[in-house]
């Protein structure tokens, strides 16, 4: 499972990093970045929570 952040939609609210810090980090530009590669299994649930709770629907979590 992989996570993606659409940089054009992210508003830098920080919610995803709060919910799932192993997968999402706020970068120097103030926008969220997802880790490259597969999400650790232990973080799959929180990554999906972040996807559903992101206010701008910037996050996609896919198989
Ligand atoms: S929750 Fe959405 S808008 Fe907020 S920082 Fe994460 S990707 Fe950006």
């Amino acid at each position: 499972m992989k996570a993606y952040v659409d940089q054009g939609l992210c508003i830098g609210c920080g919610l995803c990093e709060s919910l799932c810090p192993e997968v999402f980090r706020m970068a120097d530009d103030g926008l969220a970045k997802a880790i490259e590669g597969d999400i650790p299994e232990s973080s799959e649930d929180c990554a999906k929570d972040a996807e559903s709770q992101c206010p701008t629907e910037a996050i996609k979590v896919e198989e």
Side-chain angles (χ1 to χ4, degrees), residues 5 9-17 26 32 50 54-56 58-59:
V5 175
L9 292 176
C10 176
I11 57 170
C13 73
L15 181 68
C16 53
E17 185 184 55
M26 304 311 292
C54 171
T56 62
I59 297 171

Side-chain angles (χ1 to χ4, degrees), residues 13-36:
C13 73
L15 181 68
C16 53
E17 185 184 55
S18 300
L19 289 172
C20 203
E22 284 189 24
V23 176
F24 301 101
R25 291 274 173 207
M26 304 311 292
D28 290 344
D29 62 5
L31 302 177
K33 304 272 183 306
I35 57 166
E36 306 271 338

Side-chain angles (χ1 to χ4, degrees), residues 1-3 15-16 18-24 39-54 59 61-63:
M1 189 170 278
K2 292 184 174 28
L15 181 68
C16 53
S18 300
L19 289 172
C20 203
E22 284 189 24
V23 176
F24 301 101
I39 297 169
E41 220 174 290
S42 57
S43 292
E44 288 184 352
D45 286 346
C46 71
K48 287 186 213 160
D49 285 346
E51 180 186 35
S52 62
Q53 292 187 42
C54 171
I59 297 171
V61 177
E62 298 172 348
E63 290 300 336

